[in-house]
Amino acid sequence: CSPEKRPKQAYQELQPFNFFLTKVKDIKNQYNSTGALNLKDLLSERMGSLKSSCHFNFMFDMEWLVKQYPESSRKLPLLLVHGDQGRDELRMKAEAQDFPHISLCRAPLDIPYGTHHTKMMLLLYTTGLRVVIHTANLIPNDWCQKTQGIWVSPVFSPLANASEKGDSPTGFKTDLLQYLAAYKSGKLAPWERHIQAHDMKTANVHIIGSVPGRHVLSQKNCWGHLKLKKVLSERGPEPTLVQNWPLLGQFSSIGSLGPNKEAWLTTEWAQSLNTCKGALMMQGVKTPQPKLNLVFPSKDNIRLSLEGYNGGGCVPYSIKTASKQPWLTPFFCQWISEGRGRTKAVPHIKTYTRHSPDGTQAAWFIVTSANLSKAAWGALEKKGSQLMIRSYELGVLFLPQYFGYKTSFPVSSKLEDVEKSEKATFPLPYDLPPTTYVRGDRPWFVDVPCVDLPDTFGNNWCPP
Ligand SMILES: O=C(O)CCC(=O)Nc1ccc(C(=O)O)c(C(=O)O)c1
């Protein structure tokens, strides 16, 4: 994206949810002026006066990243946490040579096919510490014409006295420290100390993270879908409220999920996400499973997008994987975001929610780096005694009770509704209820040529 003229709107805290999308080039300004930020907004002086920062991510363009900082903070200490090994790590180190203020921390990835997928910023200001958890790679293309999600914490003030815990009712600080500890990296120690030293009592979301490993016993419920199951069984919705509320997953890639839906998707994974309060006390009681909708871009969603077929480059679902799981297609719904003006902004965001059939309420909502894969959410092994996770992932869970609601919170993708209702309304990234694929729709496959219909630019797709 070309450097924008100075943004008209001052930074708008979308209190209390603080959930934003990235700005999108070439859509009507009304869809970028509220509830949308770009990286320059996030790093601007208006957010705080930086002392140092740390980025956890998968892809980095260092030269571009440095230019997103204000001139005055372009030389401040910057730590990049990545998962690159071997030749890729050498390339990271070579690129960092040009930037004396940049240091690198490689996350250990000891299980094959794992990725360092987590996308988080730790921003240390002269006045405090801010945490940003999001879904965009640190490359220009991810911040230009896609739909990406961003949760922005308040600025946490330094703790008055170091003996105070300074945690919130959601255990945000404890869980974030537990996540960082899992890297077992000396390079992260300063940032663990910064987190320890700040008062996070106002954090109103739960951390849902994944770290690679074969997690057993007390570690088993700390990560992936079992962490979510634990939080929902303790603080989730009443079964009576949500019994016919569908579960919705929305993501930009899909792993190999097995020979049929019962192998993992509707049993292990969906049962964790469908967990309600008190579930762990109802072991063995078979509760009816709600409808499952999976929002994943169709070929035409990509073809007609602002980027045309090229937009499908960041939706890496391969026909090799898809051909093993034709049973998945009936769950698919189109990417439609008329309310946010982003139907043509390819979704790289990942979200999961349990919403009312009419799409006006949600029992909970998650924005995360985690796609629909066992690598990200975990797969039970050894008769359920261990949860095997391959990748690092990080997301935040919004529960109604932390936003002044008893059972569910109002949601809408129409920002005029969000802004005009005096009740805090969650700004959805897409339209609810979801729309199933129409006849002739097929899922987007990154490695299948498309020569039958031209895209936005009149081009075909001949995968690289
Ligand atoms: O993993 C699989 O089973 C299929 C391959 C895949 O999905 N790879 C991948 C890698 C990086 C990112 C990222 O952008 O961080 C994303 C994403 O976010 O869609 C996806």
Side-chain angles (χ1 to χ4, degrees), residues 57-59 113-119 135-137 139 142 148 251-257 313-318 321 347-350 368-376 391 393 446:
N57 218 299
F58 173 76
M59 292 171 81
Y113 304 109
T115 56
H116 185 257
H117 216 208
T118 288
K119 296 167 173 72
T135 65
N137 285 290
I139 59 174
D142 265 44
Q148 304 272 15
F251 36 80
S252 61
S253 188
I254 308 169
S256 186
L257 306 180
C314 80
V315 185
Y317 188 31
S318 84
T321 306
H348 189 256
I349 187 173
K350 295 91 175 144
T368 174
S369 62
N371 279 306
L372 185 65
S373 75
K374 294 179 184 178
S391 297
E393 308 283 352
V446 70

Side-chain angles (χ1 to χ4, degrees), residues 325-347:
Q325 45 206 34
W327 52 264
L328 194 57
T329 308
F331 290 99
F332 285 152
C333 295
Q334 302 171 46
W335 168 260
I336 297 179
S337 175
E338 289 301 293
R340 302 300 296 267
R342 285 168 169 77
T343 299
K344 294 180 182 301
V346 169

Side-chain angles (χ1 to χ4, degrees), residues 141 146 252-255 296-300 302-303 308-323 332 346 348 437 442-451 460-464:
N141 184 257
K146 297 184 189 304
S252 61
S253 188
I254 308 169
F296 182 75
S298 66
K299 178 195 149 192
D300 272 358
I302 302 295
R303 182 173 71 85
Y309 283 127
N310 285 337
C314 80
V315 185
Y317 188 31
S318 84
I319 186 70
K320 284 188 289 296
T321 306
S323 59
F332 285 152
V346 169
H348 189 256
Y437 278 13
R442 74 148 169 88
W444 168 256
F445 303 126
V446 70
D447 49 357
V448 170
C450 298
V451 295
N460 290 329
W461 174 250
C462 304

Side-chain angles (χ1 to χ4, degrees), residues 11-20 130 150-154 156 170 202-206 396-405 409-410 418-419 421-427:
Y11 165 65
Q12 302 202 3
E13 297 249 359
L14 255 196
Q15 298 285 3
F17 295 104
N18 287 335
F19 174 56
F20 301 86
R130 191 194 295 272
I150 311 169
W151 174 75
V152 183
S153 84
F156 298 121
T170 65
T202 55
N204 54 15
V205 294
H206 281 267
V396 292
L397 167 68
F398 300 89
L399 285 171
Q401 58 266 43
Y402 301 111
F403 297 91
Y405 292 98
F409 48 82
V418 172
E419 289 188 293
S421 66
E422 68 287 351
K423 289 175 62 169
T425 301
F426 187 86

Side-chain angles (χ1 to χ4, degrees), residues 238-259:
E238 292 296 334
T240 47
L241 169 79
V242 297
Q243 60 195 5
N244 63 343
W245 288 26
L247 172 64
L248 184 149
Q250 175 274 314
F251 36 80
S252 61
S253 188
I254 308 169
S256 186
L257 306 180

